[in-house]
Amino acid sequence: MKSNRGINGWLLFSPWILTFLIFWMFPLVYSFVISLTDYRLLDPTINWIGFSNYQKLFSDPDFILSLKNSFIFAIGTIPFTTIISLGLALLLNNQFRGRTFFRASYFMPSITSMVVIALIFSNLYARGGYIHLLAQLIGLNPPVNGFLLSQKTALASIMAMDIWMASGYYMLLFLGGLQTIPTELYEAARLSGASRWQQFRHITLPMLKPVTLFIIVINSIKSFQVFIEIFVMTKGGPLNSTFTGVYFVYETGLRQFNFGYASAAAYILFAIIGIVSIIQFKALQTKWQA
């Protein structure tokens, strides 16, 4: 009877295991193997070159620039997204008329296609677009040909759009965290004469630590993987000012067909994301436990 249960269990999980092995593990191992070769799609010869691709990448100015832009994107979006989404969650956690409507409105961009949002913002940022006109009206002197055609503003414009789009999703996570905080804690604090700021600092923030850590880590991973926005809005331009790590992998692998080199770049990016995530976990947990 026990052996039958074991067999039935394996049969039950076998579709998931097969899917995992075929669509996750095999590409992972295969891409690492070809990262150690000079494999090009249009070249029939494949030579084993060891870690030469990895060494070459660290002296490739395009790859270094792509990593720099990825870090700028992450550093420029994560703090703003976290603060704005927390502020929205605190605001929408109060009881007022129309609360459900505002929650749905802020969350809506998160479930909208990134391609659609990128196309809409491309028009808004373009010369004569609403955002471009608004910037002119308030005297900001925007780039003549639009925000996405200027080296100075292209990456910042995409970052601003990303903050706007992602804040609703993280707001929902913060709202879930806020609603798990026992109301008795606030009642006790009020009876003790604590101000709203003291309640926020000594009750809300500490109780939201797990949610905040989760949001910062997944937002970091997402920021280093930014691609669709770049592909739709700028194609890495102007003059490589929005050329990010994942876009470098795309350009090298799927446009230049240099699969070995692109795989090595993807693995370096994977390692960077892993290291950044571990550092964030360690740093934030140590700080909050202190």
Side-chain angles (χ1 to χ4, degrees), residues 88-124:
L88 288 172
L90 290 170
L91 187 66
L92 296 177
N93 196 40
N94 296 312
Q95 292 289 344
F96 63 90
R97 196 168 185 177
R99 184 177 67 163
T100 306
F101 168 77
F102 284 107
R103 284 181 178 181
S105 300
Y106 285 118
F107 182 65
M108 192 66 72
S110 306
I111 56 173
T112 306
S113 164
M114 172 55 78
V115 175
V116 173
I117 290 177
L119 288 172
I120 291 171
F121 270 82
S122 295
N123 286 311
L124 294 175

PDB file of all heavy atoms in Angstrom, residues 88-124:
ATOM      1  N   LEU A  88       1.263  55.719  -0.341  1.00  0.00           N
ATOM      2  CA  LEU A  88      -0.072  55.424  -0.880  1.00  0.00           C
ATOM      3  C   LEU A  88      -0.808  54.410   0.007  1.00  0.00           C
ATOM      4  O   LEU A  88      -2.012  54.547   0.265  1.00  0.00           O
ATOM      5  CB  LEU A  88       0.056  54.859  -2.300  1.00  0.00           C
ATOM      6  CG  LEU A  88       0.452  55.848  -3.393  1.00  0.00           C
ATOM      7  CD1 LEU A  88       0.732  55.111  -4.701  1.00  0.00           C
ATOM      8  CD2 LEU A  88      -0.644  56.888  -3.595  1.00  0.00           C
ATOM      9  N   ALA A  89      -0.075  53.400   0.469  1.00  0.00           N
ATOM     10  CA  ALA A  89      -0.702  52.384   1.313  1.00  0.00           C
ATOM     11  C   ALA A  89      -1.198  52.993   2.624  1.00  0.00           C
ATOM     12  O   ALA A  89      -2.311  52.669   3.083  1.00  0.00           O
ATOM     13  CB  ALA A  89       0.294  51.258   1.592  1.00  0.00           C
ATOM     14  N   LEU A  90      -0.393  53.860   3.224  1.00  0.00           N
ATOM     15  CA  LEU A  90      -0.822  54.508   4.473  1.00  0.00           C
ATOM     16  C   LEU A  90      -2.063  55.362   4.243  1.00  0.00           C
ATOM     17  O   LEU A  90      -2.999  55.370   5.050  1.00  0.00           O
ATOM     18  CB  LEU A  90       0.314  55.377   5.024  1.00  0.00           C
ATOM     19  CG  LEU A  90       1.536  54.623   5.575  1.00  0.00           C
ATOM     20  CD1 LEU A  90       2.673  55.591   5.844  1.00  0.00           C
ATOM     21  CD2 LEU A  90       1.161  53.868   6.848  1.00  0.00           C
ATOM     22  N   LEU A  91      -2.072  56.061   3.123  1.00  0.00           N
ATOM     23  CA  LEU A  91      -3.216  56.928   2.797  1.00  0.00           C
ATOM     24  C   LEU A  91      -4.482  56.102   2.545  1.00  0.00           C
ATOM     25  O   LEU A  91      -5.564  56.414   3.064  1.00  0.00           O
ATOM     26  CB  LEU A  91      -2.870  57.753   1.557  1.00  0.00           C
ATOM     27  CG  LEU A  91      -3.843  58.842   1.146  1.00  0.00           C
ATOM     28  CD1 LEU A  91      -3.880  59.936   2.212  1.00  0.00           C
ATOM     29  CD2 LEU A  91      -3.426  59.443  -0.189  1.00  0.00           C
ATOM     30  N   LEU A  92      -4.330  55.040   1.767  1.00  0.00           N
ATOM     31  CA  LEU A  92      -5.503  54.253   1.375  1.00  0.00           C
ATOM     32  C   LEU A  92      -5.873  53.191   2.409  1.00  0.00           C
ATOM     33  O   LEU A  92      -6.815  52.435   2.198  1.00  0.00           O
ATOM     34  CB  LEU A  92      -5.243  53.596   0.015  1.00  0.00           C
ATOM     35  CG  LEU A  92      -5.055  54.580  -1.134  1.00  0.00           C
ATOM     36  CD1 LEU A  92      -4.729  53.865  -2.430  1.00  0.00           C
ATOM     37  CD2 LEU A  92      -6.313  55.436  -1.316  1.00  0.00           C
ATOM     38  N   ASN A  93      -5.138  53.143   3.497  1.00  0.00           N
ATOM     39  CA  ASN A  93      -5.524  52.229   4.584  1.00  0.00           C
ATOM     40  C   ASN A  93      -6.549  52.881   5.514  1.00  0.00           C
ATOM     41  O   ASN A  93      -7.134  52.228   6.366  1.00  0.00           O
ATOM     42  CB  ASN A  93      -4.268  51.843   5.395  1.00  0.00           C
ATOM     43  CG  ASN A  93      -4.515  50.633   6.261  1.00  0.00           C
ATOM     44  OD1 ASN A  93      -5.171  49.682   5.841  1.00  0.00           O
ATOM     45  ND2 ASN A  93      -4.012  50.655   7.485  1.00  0.00           N
ATOM     46  N   ASN A  94      -6.757  54.193   5.323  1.00  0.00           N
ATOM     47  CA  ASN A  94      -7.762  54.909   6.128  1.00  0.00           C
ATOM     48  C   ASN A  94      -9.160  54.702   5.544  1.00  0.00           C
ATOM     49  O   ASN A  94      -9.312  54.378   4.363  1.00  0.00           O
ATOM     50  CB  ASN A  94      -7.429  56.407   6.156  1.00  0.00           C
ATOM     51  CG  ASN A  94      -6.102  56.664   6.848  1.00  0.00           C
ATOM     52  OD1 ASN A  94      -5.867  56.139   7.929  1.00  0.00           O
ATOM     53  ND2 ASN A  94      -5.239  57.456   6.235  1.00  0.00           N
ATOM     54  N   GLN A  95     -10.149  54.922   6.384  1.00  0.00           N
ATOM     55  CA  GLN A  95     -11.533  54.789   5.938  1.00  0.00           C
ATOM     56  C   GLN A  95     -12.008  56.116   5.340  1.00  0.00           C
ATOM     57  O   GLN A  95     -11.970  57.140   6.007  1.00  0.00           O
ATOM     58  CB  GLN A  95     -12.436  54.432   7.129  1.00  0.00           C
ATOM     59  CG  GLN A  95     -12.204  53.047   7.706  1.00  0.00           C
ATOM     60  CD  GLN A  95     -12.685  51.938   6.793  1.00  0.00           C
ATOM     61  OE1 GLN A  95     -13.451  52.186   5.864  1.00  0.00           O
ATOM     62  NE2 GLN A  95     -12.234  50.729   7.047  1.00  0.00           N
ATOM     63  N   PHE A  96     -12.363  56.123   4.074  1.00  0.00           N
ATOM     64  CA  PHE A  96     -12.962  57.306   3.452  1.00  0.00           C
ATOM     65  C   PHE A  96     -13.737  56.874   2.213  1.00  0.00           C
ATOM     66  O   PHE A  96     -13.509  55.781   1.670  1.00  0.00           O
ATOM     67  CB  PHE A  96     -11.906  58.369   3.112  1.00  0.00           C
ATOM     68  CG  PHE A  96     -10.881  57.915   2.102  1.00  0.00           C
ATOM     69  CD1 PHE A  96     -11.080  58.111   0.750  1.00  0.00           C
ATOM     70  CD2 PHE A  96      -9.714  57.291   2.535  1.00  0.00           C
ATOM     71  CE1 PHE A  96     -10.142  57.704  -0.165  1.00  0.00           C
ATOM     72  CE2 PHE A  96      -8.769  56.869   1.623  1.00  0.00           C
ATOM     73  CZ  PHE A  96      -8.981  57.077   0.270  1.00  0.00           C
ATOM     74  N   ARG A  97     -14.600  57.726   1.785  1.00  0.00           N
ATOM     75  CA  ARG A  97     -15.466  57.384   0.650  1.00  0.00           C
ATOM     76  C   ARG A  97     -14.631  57.322  -0.641  1.00  0.00           C
ATOM     77  O   ARG A  97     -13.820  58.216  -0.898  1.00  0.00           O
ATOM     78  CB  ARG A  97     -16.545  58.456   0.504  1.00  0.00           C
ATOM     79  CG  ARG A  97     -17.694  58.028  -0.367  1.00  0.00           C
ATOM     80  CD  ARG A  97     -18.843  58.989  -0.231  1.00  0.00           C
ATOM     81  NE  ARG A  97     -20.004  58.550  -0.963  1.00  0.00           N
ATOM     82  CZ  ARG A  97     -21.157  59.171  -0.978  1.00  0.00           C
ATOM     83  NH1 ARG A  97     -21.305  60.288  -0.253  1.00  0.00           N
ATOM     84  NH2 ARG A  97     -22.153  58.709  -1.664  1.00  0.00           N
ATOM     85  N   GLY A  98     -14.835  56.271  -1.427  1.00  0.00           N
ATOM     86  CA  GLY A  98     -14.106  56.109  -2.691  1.00  0.00           C
ATOM     87  C   GLY A  98     -12.775  55.404  -2.530  1.00  0.00           C
ATOM     88  O   GLY A  98     -11.975  55.371  -3.474  1.00  0.00           O
ATOM     89  N   ARG A  99     -12.519  54.839  -1.352  1.00  0.00           N
ATOM     90  CA  ARG A  99     -11.227  54.188  -1.108  1.00  0.00           C
ATOM     91  C   ARG A  99     -10.984  53.043  -2.094  1.00  0.00           C
ATOM     92  O   ARG A  99      -9.890  52.899  -2.638  1.00  0.00           O
ATOM     93  CB  ARG A  99     -11.188  53.665   0.332  1.00  0.00           C
ATOM     94  CG  ARG A  99      -9.857  53.068   0.704  1.00  0.00           C
ATOM     95  CD  ARG A  99      -9.835  52.626   2.148  1.00  0.00           C
ATOM     96  NE  ARG A  99     -10.739  51.506   2.408  1.00  0.00           N
ATOM     97  CZ  ARG A  99     -10.673  50.726   3.475  1.00  0.00           C
ATOM     98  NH1 ARG A  99      -9.761  50.983   4.400  1.00  0.00           N
ATOM     99  NH2 ARG A  99     -11.518  49.729   3.658  1.00  0.00           N
ATOM    100  N   THR A 100     -11.985  52.234  -2.331  1.00  0.00           N
ATOM    101  CA  THR A 100     -11.834  51.097  -3.247  1.00  0.00           C
ATOM    102  C   THR A 100     -11.506  51.562  -4.658  1.00  0.00           C
ATOM    103  O   THR A 100     -10.665  50.965  -5.349  1.00  0.00           O
ATOM    104  CB  THR A 100     -13.130  50.262  -3.271  1.00  0.00           C
ATOM    105  OG1 THR A 100     -13.452  49.900  -1.933  1.00  0.00           O
ATOM    106  CG2 THR A 100     -12.959  49.016  -4.103  1.00  0.00           C
ATOM    107  N   PHE A 101     -12.142  52.650  -5.068  1.00  0.00           N
ATOM    108  CA  PHE A 101     -11.879  53.187  -6.412  1.00  0.00           C
ATOM    109  C   PHE A 101     -10.416  53.617  -6.542  1.00  0.00           C
ATOM    110  O   PHE A 101      -9.744  53.305  -7.533  1.00  0.00           O
ATOM    111  CB  PHE A 101     -12.802  54.386  -6.674  1.00  0.00           C
ATOM    112  CG  PHE A 101     -12.416  55.177  -7.887  1.00  0.00           C
ATOM    113  CD1 PHE A 101     -12.725  54.707  -9.160  1.00  0.00           C
ATOM    114  CD2 PHE A 101     -11.730  56.384  -7.765  1.00  0.00           C
ATOM    115  CE1 PHE A 101     -12.352  55.426 -10.294  1.00  0.00           C
ATOM    116  CE2 PHE A 101     -11.362  57.107  -8.892  1.00  0.00           C
ATOM    117  CZ  PHE A 101     -11.673  56.623 -10.147  1.00  0.00           C
ATOM    118  N   PHE A 102      -9.896  54.321  -5.542  1.00  0.00           N
ATOM    119  CA  PHE A 102      -8.516  54.789  -5.611  1.00  0.00           C
ATOM    120  C   PHE A 102      -7.533  53.624  -5.548  1.00  0.00           C
ATOM    121  O   PHE A 102      -6.499  53.635  -6.221  1.00  0.00           O
ATOM    122  CB  PHE A 102      -8.237  55.790  -4.487  1.00  0.00           C
ATOM    123  CG  PHE A 102      -8.826  57.143  -4.749  1.00  0.00           C
ATOM    124  CD1 PHE A 102      -9.944  57.582  -4.056  1.00  0.00           C
ATOM    125  CD2 PHE A 102      -8.276  57.972  -5.714  1.00  0.00           C
ATOM    126  CE1 PHE A 102     -10.497  58.817  -4.312  1.00  0.00           C
ATOM    127  CE2 PHE A 102      -8.816  59.220  -5.984  1.00  0.00           C
ATOM    128  CZ  PHE A 102      -9.938  59.644  -5.275  1.00  0.00           C
ATOM    129  N   ARG A 103      -7.846  52.623  -4.726  1.00  0.00           N
ATOM    130  CA  ARG A 103      -6.973  51.442  -4.682  1.00  0.00           C
ATOM    131  C   ARG A 103      -6.899  50.782  -6.061  1.00  0.00           C
ATOM    132  O   ARG A 103      -5.814  50.427  -6.537  1.00  0.00           O
ATOM    133  CB  ARG A 103      -7.509  50.436  -3.666  1.00  0.00           C
ATOM    134  CG  ARG A 103      -7.243  50.808  -2.216  1.00  0.00           C
ATOM    135  CD  ARG A 103      -7.796  49.730  -1.298  1.00  0.00           C
ATOM    136  NE  ARG A 103      -7.540  50.012   0.105  1.00  0.00           N
ATOM    137  CZ  ARG A 103      -7.897  49.243   1.101  1.00  0.00           C
ATOM    138  NH1 ARG A 103      -8.576  48.133   0.865  1.00  0.00           N
ATOM    139  NH2 ARG A 103      -7.611  49.567   2.350  1.00  0.00           N
ATOM    140  N   ALA A 104      -8.052  50.603  -6.681  1.00  0.00           N
ATOM    141  CA  ALA A 104      -8.083  49.963  -8.003  1.00  0.00           C
ATOM    142  C   ALA A 104      -7.366  50.830  -9.042  1.00  0.00           C
ATOM    143  O   ALA A 104      -6.644  50.317  -9.909  1.00  0.00           O
ATOM    144  CB  ALA A 104      -9.523  49.716  -8.423  1.00  0.00           C
ATOM    145  N   SER A 105      -7.535  52.152  -8.926  1.00  0.00           N
ATOM    146  CA  SER A 105      -6.913  53.060  -9.898  1.00  0.00           C
ATOM    147  C   SER A 105      -5.397  53.009  -9.820  1.00  0.00           C
ATOM    148  O   SER A 105      -4.708  52.964 -10.838  1.00  0.00           O
ATOM    149  CB  SER A 105      -7.376  54.498  -9.639  1.00  0.00           C
ATOM    150  OG  SER A 105      -8.770  54.595  -9.757  1.00  0.00           O
ATOM    151  N   TYR A 106      -4.859  53.003  -8.609  1.00  0.00           N
ATOM    152  CA  TYR A 106      -3.401  52.962  -8.470  1.00  0.00           C
ATOM    153  C   TYR A 106      -2.830  51.606  -8.855  1.00  0.00           C
ATOM    154  O   TYR A 106      -1.690  51.510  -9.312  1.00  0.00           O
ATOM    155  CB  TYR A 106      -2.993  53.311  -7.029  1.00  0.00           C
ATOM    156  CG  TYR A 106      -3.107  54.774  -6.715  1.00  0.00           C
ATOM    157  CD1 TYR A 106      -3.975  55.239  -5.725  1.00  0.00           C
ATOM    158  CD2 TYR A 106      -2.350  55.712  -7.415  1.00  0.00           C
ATOM    159  CE1 TYR A 106      -4.097  56.592  -5.440  1.00  0.00           C
ATOM    160  CE2 TYR A 106      -2.456  57.065  -7.143  1.00  0.00           C
ATOM    161  CZ  TYR A 106      -3.325  57.497  -6.144  1.00  0.00           C
ATOM    162  OH  TYR A 106      -3.444  58.829  -5.876  1.00  0.00           O
ATOM    163  N   PHE A 107      -3.630  50.546  -8.644  1.00  0.00           N
ATOM    164  CA  PHE A 107      -3.141  49.205  -8.963  1.00  0.00           C
ATOM    165  C   PHE A 107      -3.237  48.897 -10.458  1.00  0.00           C
ATOM    166  O   PHE A 107      -2.505  48.052 -10.971  1.00  0.00           O
ATOM    167  CB  PHE A 107      -3.937  48.167  -8.165  1.00  0.00           C
ATOM    168  CG  PHE A 107      -3.477  46.754  -8.380  1.00  0.00           C
ATOM    169  CD1 PHE A 107      -2.203  46.348  -7.970  1.00  0.00           C
ATOM    170  CD2 PHE A 107      -4.298  45.826  -8.999  1.00  0.00           C
ATOM    171  CE1 PHE A 107      -1.766  45.056  -8.178  1.00  0.00           C
ATOM    172  CE2 PHE A 107      -3.863  44.529  -9.205  1.00  0.00           C
ATOM    173  CZ  PHE A 107      -2.600  44.142  -8.788  1.00  0.00           C
ATOM    174  N   MET A 108      -4.136  49.587 -11.153  1.00  0.00           N
ATOM    175  CA  MET A 108      -4.411  49.286 -12.555  1.00  0.00           C
ATOM    176  C   MET A 108      -3.161  49.252 -13.450  1.00  0.00           C
ATOM    177  O   MET A 108      -3.002  48.335 -14.274  1.00  0.00           O
ATOM    178  CB  MET A 108      -5.411  50.305 -13.118  1.00  0.00           C
ATOM    179  CG  MET A 108      -5.995  49.927 -14.459  1.00  0.00           C
ATOM    180  SD  MET A 108      -7.028  48.461 -14.352  1.00  0.00           S
ATOM    181  CE  MET A 108      -8.452  49.116 -13.487  1.00  0.00           C
ATOM    182  N   PRO A 109      -2.221  50.222 -13.342  1.00  0.00           N
ATOM    183  CA  PRO A 109      -1.031  50.156 -14.222  1.00  0.00           C
ATOM    184  C   PRO A 109      -0.227  48.879 -14.062  1.00  0.00           C
ATOM    185  O   PRO A 109       0.431  48.435 -15.004  1.00  0.00           O
ATOM    186  CB  PRO A 109      -0.209  51.381 -13.782  1.00  0.00           C
ATOM    187  CG  PRO A 109      -1.190  52.309 -13.175  1.00  0.00           C
ATOM    188  CD  PRO A 109      -2.225  51.444 -12.524  1.00  0.00           C
ATOM    189  N   SER A 110      -0.278  48.263 -12.871  1.00  0.00           N
ATOM    190  CA  SER A 110       0.519  47.060 -12.623  1.00  0.00           C
ATOM    191  C   SER A 110       0.032  45.868 -13.423  1.00  0.00           C
ATOM    192  O   SER A 110       0.797  44.933 -13.666  1.00  0.00           O
ATOM    193  CB  SER A 110       0.483  46.698 -11.129  1.00  0.00           C
ATOM    194  OG  SER A 110       0.866  47.793 -10.359  1.00  0.00           O
ATOM    195  N   ILE A 111      -1.222  45.861 -13.798  1.00  0.00           N
ATOM    196  CA  ILE A 111      -1.754  44.721 -14.545  1.00  0.00           C
ATOM    197  C   ILE A 111      -1.970  45.067 -16.017  1.00  0.00           C
ATOM    198  O   ILE A 111      -2.563  44.297 -16.756  1.00  0.00           O
ATOM    199  CB  ILE A 111      -3.071  44.208 -13.924  1.00  0.00           C
ATOM    200  CG1 ILE A 111      -4.108  45.331 -13.825  1.00  0.00           C
ATOM    201  CG2 ILE A 111      -2.829  43.594 -12.564  1.00  0.00           C
ATOM    202  CD1 ILE A 111      -5.473  44.858 -13.384  1.00  0.00           C
ATOM    203  N   THR A 112      -1.512  46.242 -16.395  1.00  0.00           N
ATOM    204  CA  THR A 112      -1.600  46.648 -17.801  1.00  0.00           C
ATOM    205  C   THR A 112      -0.320  46.224 -18.518  1.00  0.00           C
ATOM    206  O   THR A 112       0.758  46.206 -17.917  1.00  0.00           O
ATOM    207  CB  THR A 112      -1.766  48.174 -17.907  1.00  0.00           C
ATOM    208  OG1 THR A 112      -2.887  48.564 -17.118  1.00  0.00           O
ATOM    209  CG2 THR A 112      -1.998  48.610 -19.345  1.00  0.00           C
ATOM    210  N   SER A 113      -0.431  45.874 -19.768  1.00  0.00           N
ATOM    211  CA  SER A 113       0.727  45.431 -20.545  1.00  0.00           C
ATOM    212  C   SER A 113       1.815  46.504 -20.548  1.00  0.00           C
ATOM    213  O   SER A 113       1.550  47.680 -20.799  1.00  0.00           O
ATOM    214  CB  SER A 113       0.294  45.131 -21.979  1.00  0.00           C
ATOM    215  OG  SER A 113       1.415  45.056 -22.822  1.00  0.00           O
ATOM    216  N   MET A 114       3.043  46.082 -20.290  1.00  0.00           N
ATOM    217  CA  MET A 114       4.161  47.014 -20.299  1.00  0.00           C
ATOM    218  C   MET A 114       4.350  47.646 -21.682  1.00  0.00           C
ATOM    219  O   MET A 114       4.721  48.811 -21.805  1.00  0.00           O
ATOM    220  CB  MET A 114       5.435  46.275 -19.871  1.00  0.00           C
ATOM    221  CG  MET A 114       6.704  47.095 -20.024  1.00  0.00           C
ATOM    222  SD  MET A 114       6.646  48.684 -19.167  1.00  0.00           S
ATOM    223  CE  MET A 114       6.945  48.137 -17.510  1.00  0.00           C
ATOM    224  N   VAL A 115       4.089  46.869 -22.717  1.00  0.00           N
ATOM    225  CA  VAL A 115       4.226  47.398 -24.080  1.00  0.00           C
ATOM    226  C   VAL A 115       3.254  48.557 -24.298  1.00  0.00           C
ATOM    227  O   VAL A 115       3.622  49.606 -24.847  1.00  0.00           O
ATOM    228  CB  VAL A 115       3.977  46.283 -25.116  1.00  0.00           C
ATOM    229  CG1 VAL A 115       3.989  46.843 -26.528  1.00  0.00           C
ATOM    230  CG2 VAL A 115       5.020  45.188 -24.979  1.00  0.00           C
ATOM    231  N   VAL A 116       2.023  48.370 -23.837  1.00  0.00           N
ATOM    232  CA  VAL A 116       1.008  49.422 -23.992  1.00  0.00           C
ATOM    233  C   VAL A 116       1.427  50.682 -23.230  1.00  0.00           C
ATOM    234  O   VAL A 116       1.367  51.805 -23.762  1.00  0.00           O
ATOM    235  CB  VAL A 116      -0.358  48.918 -23.494  1.00  0.00           C
ATOM    236  CG1 VAL A 116      -1.387  50.052 -23.493  1.00  0.00           C
ATOM    237  CG2 VAL A 116      -0.847  47.766 -24.347  1.00  0.00           C
ATOM    238  N   ILE A 117       1.859  50.495 -21.993  1.00  0.00           N
ATOM    239  CA  ILE A 117       2.274  51.641 -21.184  1.00  0.00           C
ATOM    240  C   ILE A 117       3.475  52.341 -21.821  1.00  0.00           C
ATOM    241  O   ILE A 117       3.536  53.577 -21.882  1.00  0.00           O
ATOM    242  CB  ILE A 117       2.612  51.180 -19.746  1.00  0.00           C
ATOM    243  CG1 ILE A 117       1.333  50.780 -19.024  1.00  0.00           C
ATOM    244  CG2 ILE A 117       3.334  52.273 -18.970  1.00  0.00           C
ATOM    245  CD1 ILE A 117       1.541  50.239 -17.640  1.00  0.00           C
ATOM    246  N   ALA A 118       4.426  51.554 -22.313  1.00  0.00           N
ATOM    247  CA  ALA A 118       5.616  52.143 -22.925  1.00  0.00           C
ATOM    248  C   ALA A 118       5.245  52.948 -24.169  1.00  0.00           C
ATOM    249  O   ALA A 118       5.803  54.037 -24.401  1.00  0.00           O
ATOM    250  CB  ALA A 118       6.609  51.039 -23.273  1.00  0.00           C
ATOM    251  N   LEU A 119       4.312  52.443 -24.957  1.00  0.00           N
ATOM    252  CA  LEU A 119       3.894  53.184 -26.159  1.00  0.00           C
ATOM    253  C   LEU A 119       3.182  54.490 -25.782  1.00  0.00           C
ATOM    254  O   LEU A 119       3.400  55.533 -26.412  1.00  0.00           O
ATOM    255  CB  LEU A 119       2.964  52.302 -27.007  1.00  0.00           C
ATOM    256  CG  LEU A 119       3.643  51.139 -27.740  1.00  0.00           C
ATOM    257  CD1 LEU A 119       2.597  50.235 -28.384  1.00  0.00           C
ATOM    258  CD2 LEU A 119       4.614  51.660 -28.795  1.00  0.00           C
ATOM    259  N   ILE A 120       2.327  54.428 -24.765  1.00  0.00           N
ATOM    260  CA  ILE A 120       1.616  55.643 -24.321  1.00  0.00           C
ATOM    261  C   ILE A 120       2.617  56.691 -23.835  1.00  0.00           C
ATOM    262  O   ILE A 120       2.562  57.869 -24.220  1.00  0.00           O
ATOM    263  CB  ILE A 120       0.614  55.286 -23.208  1.00  0.00           C
ATOM    264  CG1 ILE A 120      -0.532  54.447 -23.772  1.00  0.00           C
ATOM    265  CG2 ILE A 120       0.065  56.560 -22.558  1.00  0.00           C
ATOM    266  CD1 ILE A 120      -1.458  53.878 -22.722  1.00  0.00           C
ATOM    267  N   PHE A 121       3.577  56.267 -22.999  1.00  0.00           N
ATOM    268  CA  PHE A 121       4.551  57.222 -22.471  1.00  0.00           C
ATOM    269  C   PHE A 121       5.502  57.724 -23.561  1.00  0.00           C
ATOM    270  O   PHE A 121       6.013  58.847 -23.467  1.00  0.00           O
ATOM    271  CB  PHE A 121       5.332  56.605 -21.313  1.00  0.00           C
ATOM    272  CG  PHE A 121       4.688  56.853 -19.979  1.00  0.00           C
ATOM    273  CD1 PHE A 121       3.642  56.064 -19.548  1.00  0.00           C
ATOM    274  CD2 PHE A 121       5.102  57.898 -19.178  1.00  0.00           C
ATOM    275  CE1 PHE A 121       3.026  56.299 -18.323  1.00  0.00           C
ATOM    276  CE2 PHE A 121       4.497  58.153 -17.952  1.00  0.00           C
ATOM    277  CZ  PHE A 121       3.451  57.342 -17.524  1.00  0.00           C
ATOM    278  N   SER A 122       5.750  56.910 -24.577  1.00  0.00           N
ATOM    279  CA  SER A 122       6.579  57.385 -25.692  1.00  0.00           C
ATOM    280  C   SER A 122       5.930  58.594 -26.345  1.00  0.00           C
ATOM    281  O   SER A 122       6.607  59.568 -26.705  1.00  0.00           O
ATOM    282  CB  SER A 122       6.764  56.270 -26.733  1.00  0.00           C
ATOM    283  OG  SER A 122       7.482  55.203 -26.185  1.00  0.00           O
ATOM    284  N   ASN A 123       4.610  58.544 -26.477  1.00  0.00           N
ATOM    285  CA  ASN A 123       3.887  59.692 -27.053  1.00  0.00           C
ATOM    286  C   ASN A 123       3.846  60.865 -26.090  1.00  0.00           C
ATOM    287  O   ASN A 123       3.959  62.020 -26.501  1.00  0.00           O
ATOM    288  CB  ASN A 123       2.455  59.275 -27.421  1.00  0.00           C
ATOM    289  CG  ASN A 123       2.438  58.401 -28.658  1.00  0.00           C
ATOM    290  OD1 ASN A 123       3.048  58.727 -29.665  1.00  0.00           O
ATOM    291  ND2 ASN A 123       1.776  57.262 -28.583  1.00  0.00           N
ATOM    292  N   LEU A 124       3.674  60.576 -24.799  1.00  0.00           N
ATOM    293  CA  LEU A 124       3.618  61.659 -23.816  1.00  0.00           C
ATOM    294  C   LEU A 124       4.953  62.390 -23.712  1.00  0.00           C
ATOM    295  O   LEU A 124       5.002  63.604 -23.517  1.00  0.00           O
ATOM    296  CB  LEU A 124       3.238  61.098 -22.443  1.00  0.00           C
ATOM    297  CG  LEU A 124       1.835  60.517 -22.303  1.00  0.00           C
ATOM    298  CD1 LEU A 124       1.653  59.902 -20.922  1.00  0.00           C
ATOM    299  CD2 LEU A 124       0.782  61.585 -22.535  1.00  0.00           C
TER     300      LEU A 124
END
